[in-house]
Amino acid sequence: EPEVTQTPSHQVTQMGQEVILRCVPISNHLYFYWYRQILGQKVEFLVSFYNNEISEKSEIFDDQFSVERPDGSNFTLKIRSTKLEDSAMYFCASSASGHSYEQYFGPGTRLTVT
Amino acid sequence: DQQVKQNSPSLSVQEGRISILNCDYTNSMFDYFLWYKKYPAEGPTFLISISSIKDKNEDGRFTVFLNKSAKHLSLHIVPSQPGDSAVYFCAAGSNTGNQFYFGTGTSLTVIP
């Protein structure tokens, strides 16, 4: 069964450093998403991406964040200058269409900012 | 702002009995609702959905009920099985966007 994969599973970084979280969505999916879940809190939407551009983003997704689809398979989330409060699980998801509400999630990357 | 709320952080149920997980929302523009199941160290897995044109959707042991006037939905699992033990997230969104708002989750434990 096709699945969304994410690397690394755990990333530890120092405050102020840049991190790139990587995702490989399901191959025939066209819509891609990033979510985060701070420990003990709800899953929060960050951004959706379609046709090589951001289609929707939340208030959390400020100028420190960017997304990219550098090739035909990867979808990345970059945090330019990490803050302690960026520590969270980051989930990538993909869906077949914008109206396919069935989003498939990856296993997540745990980001720890020290 | 918590547009989607799951007021019960945890629930324990005997195997074979019914599990009822509840979710409330505040935004009347929401017209599509999903339930996700999450095991530790894994991403959320889609379970079942319902659109606002329906008040019930059933898939095997899982049934979701939607009460639009009360802005409330619930997930029923019957009969509950130990493998159902997981965190269940309710999510809501509107037909005009891709953004879904998640609740804080309810941790279900099914006791053998």
Side-chain angles (χ1 to χ4, degrees):
Chain A
E1 187 174 324
E3 59 181 16
V4 177
T5 59
Q6 290 184 243
T7 54
S9 57
H10 190 190
Q11 174 86 49
V12 181
T13 189
Q14 287 193 324
M15 196 167 55
Q17 296 294 305
E18 173 183 287
V19 293
I20 297 176
L21 309 182
R22 301 180 194 281
C23 169
V24 179
I26 293 173
S27 62
N28 62 344
H29 284 185
L30 300 176
Y31 289 77
F32 315 111
Y33 313 83
W34 283 101
Y35 292 83
R36 78 172 185 192
Q37 185 182 22
I38 294 171
L39 186 65
Q41 298 185 24
K42 60 185 176 182
V43 176
E44 299 173 293
F45 171 83
L46 292 178
V47 66
S48 60
F49 190 86
Y50 168 72
N51 199 26
N52 284 319
E53 59 183 29
I54 291 172
S55 50
E56 203 165 349
K57 62 182 181 179
S58 71
E59 296 172 348
I60 303 166
F61 194 88
D62 60 22
D63 292 342
Q64 293 296 315
F65 292 89
S66 62
V67 289
E68 195 178 30
R69 189 150 162 83
D71 53 43
S73 59
N74 288 284
F75 179 51
T76 62
L77 174 69
K78 182 192 290 186
I79 309 175
R80 288 193 185 82
S81 178
T82 51
K83 304 186 283 285
L84 293 175
E85 54 264 39
D86 293 328
S87 296
M89 282 291 288
Y90 287 81
F91 293 105
C92 171
S94 69
S95 64
S97 75
H99 293 290
S100 172
Y101 300 104
E102 188 174 326
Q103 297 179 12
Y104 291 80
F105 282 75
T109 293
R110 178 171 297 285
L111 175 65
T112 302
V113 182
T114 61
Chain B
D1 64 337
Q2 261 197 295
Q3 299 200 49
V4 179
K5 298 178 188 177
Q6 293 176 256
N7 291 320
S8 298
S10 63
L11 175 69
S12 289
V13 171
Q14 284 293 135
E15 181 179 4
R17 305 294 288 268
I18 185 170
S19 295
I20 300 176
L21 297 102
N22 293 302
C23 178
D24 297 292
Y25 62 97
T26 57
N27 191 336
S28 56
M29 297 299 291
F30 290 153
D31 55 14
Y32 210 89
F33 307 89
L34 308 94
W35 284 94
Y36 283 86
K37 179 164 92 168
K38 185 181 180 304
Y39 293 116
E42 293 183 16
T45 302
F46 171 77
L47 197 56
I48 192 168
S49 64
I50 190 167
S51 76
S52 59
I53 61 173
K54 291 185 167 185
D55 53 21
K56 177 182 173 181
N57 189 26
E58 194 171 350
D59 183 2
R61 296 184 298 114
F62 302 92
T63 303
V64 56
F65 294 92
L66 175 63
N67 182 335
K68 290 185 287 293
S69 60
K71 294 193 182 69
H72 176 84
L73 62 155
S74 61
L75 174 68
H76 293 210
I77 307 172
V78 57
S80 302
Q81 299 173 353
D84 296 330
S85 297
V87 177
Y88 288 79
F89 290 100
C90 163
S94 81
N95 205 18
T96 56
N98 304 129
Q99 180 168 174
F100 278 88
Y101 296 84
F102 282 73
T104 49
T106 296
S107 178
L108 173 67
T109 302
V110 180
I111 303 162

